[in-house]
Amino acid sequence: MDSKREKDQDTDFTKITAVLLKSRTGEFDLESILFLKLRGLGICDLGCIGECTNLERLDLSGNNITKLVPLSSLRLLIVLNVSANRISNLEAISSCDSLQSLNVAGNLISSIENLHCLQSLRKLENIRLKDNTYNFSNPGERVVGRGSDLYQLCKDIDDTIKAGLFKNGQLPELPEQWVEDGFWEIKRSNNAIIEEAYKQFNDVLHECRLLNNRAAHIISQTERSLSLKNQPKQYAV
């Protein structure tokens, strides 16, 4: 009965638990987890994810998340993907000092003002608010720049909205001097290449851990079988 209950808890992904994190990563200590992908599991409660204090890359896309509060303790987080969720407030991640890349496409961010809380993130270089591949959108498109520059850019966009120039969710063509060159990044940046490398490395690392666990289990079973076979037979006297 207890084993069935544990199995049911392990397959219940609506809330992130220590059991879920350990089974997904193969790590015994949550603080040892560096890369984590929990995509499309129906998660609505981030639970204990804040205990993964050394986490550097996190993919929570395609879930039912509304609040990011547990992420506030992830000071080493570099890449965060929370696209295709139900998030309307980004305040919680304003303390993620190491954050460089953020994907929030396909959420409920209704105003550019929701980005102003990110101005303190000096290392932030990449924010994705729209993803044409999956038809995910938010009021705006991909923004590239540092934290302080990002704040100024948000302010300029906000002023444009108030002036009535923002129509049908798109910005009209503006004079070249509106922002400095390099704010809108179209080409694939080095940061994007690094992000993709992290993703591939994480996938390979996860597969290696699974194979290692399976190999260890098979070796253990084989050793036990050989041990039983080599034991001397006992005869009753």
Side-chain angles (χ1 to χ4, degrees):
M1 187 72 176
D2 291 338
S3 60
K4 182 179 184 302
R5 186 182 295 111
E6 290 176 359
K7 183 177 180 181
D8 291 341
Q9 290 176 348
D10 189 38
T11 56
D12 181 9
F13 297 141
T14 57
K15 180 177 181 178
I16 293 180
T17 63
V19 173
L20 172 60
L21 294 176
K22 292 176 182 179
S23 65
R24 283 270 162 170
T25 63
E27 296 286 354
F28 181 76
D29 296 320
L30 299 187
E31 293 182 357
S32 299
I33 300 175
L34 301 179
F35 310 101
L36 183 60
K37 181 169 68 174
L38 300 173
R39 182 186 303 171
L41 299 179
I43 296 170
C44 57
D45 189 337
L46 294 179
C48 65
I49 198 170
E51 296 179 26
C52 304
T53 52
N54 290 311
L55 199 59
E56 295 181 0
R57 176 184 170 87
L58 176 60
D59 185 349
L60 292 168
S61 59
N63 287 292
N64 296 314
I65 300 167
T66 57
K67 296 181 180 180
L68 300 176
V69 176
L71 301 184
S72 61
S73 61
L74 303 183
R75 299 300 178 90
L76 301 181
L77 192 63
I78 297 174
V79 178
L80 174 61
N81 184 353
V82 288
S83 61
N85 277 281
R86 301 170 59 193
I87 300 163
S88 59
N89 191 312
L90 300 174
E91 188 71 35
I93 60 176
S94 63
S95 60
C96 298
D97 303 326
S98 301
L99 196 63
Q100 295 180 16
S101 178
L102 173 64
N103 187 344
V104 290
N107 278 282
L108 303 177
I109 300 174
S110 59
S111 170
I112 295 298
E113 293 180 357
N114 291 111
L115 300 180
H116 289 179
C117 62
L118 305 180
Q119 61 178 301
S120 62
L121 300 178
R122 301 300 180 182
K123 296 182 179 180
L124 187 60
E125 298 177 350
N126 185 309
I127 301 179
R128 185 178 292 277
L129 302 170
K130 184 176 182 179
D131 192 328
N132 292 325
T133 303
Y134 299 102
N135 198 27
F136 296 156
S137 63
N138 271 305
E141 294 189 8
R142 189 174 183 178
V143 180
V144 176
R146 295 182 180 176
S148 56
D149 297 330
L150 172 64
Y151 175 76
Q152 183 60 46
L153 179 58
C154 289
K155 184 177 184 301
D156 291 340
I157 295 175
D158 199 30
D159 291 341
T160 303
I161 295 174
K162 293 177 181 178
L165 298 177
F166 195 94
K167 300 178 181 179
N168 299 324
Q170 298 290 332
L171 278 171
E173 293 185 2
L174 295 173
E176 293 182 0
Q177 65 269 23
W178 181 57
V179 293
E180 296 179 0
D181 292 339
F183 267 115
W184 301 100
E185 183 67 37
I186 299 176
K187 296 181 180 180
R188 186 178 178 87
S189 65
N190 290 334
N191 185 74
I193 295 174
I194 294 174
E195 180 181 348
E196 184 64 23
Y198 268 126
K199 179 181 177 182
Q200 292 180 7
F201 176 77
N202 183 35
D203 291 340
V204 171
L205 185 63
H206 182 64
E207 291 296 327
C208 288
R209 283 172 175 158
L210 290 177
L211 290 173
N212 181 66
N213 290 338
R214 291 171 185 169
H217 180 67
I218 293 173
I219 291 173
S220 177
Q221 285 186 324
T222 303
E223 290 178 344
R224 184 181 303 174
S225 177
L226 292 174
S227 175
L228 292 174
K229 184 180 294 185
N230 293 332
Q231 285 182 359
K233 297 181 179 180
Q234 296 181 356
Y235 299 93
V237 178

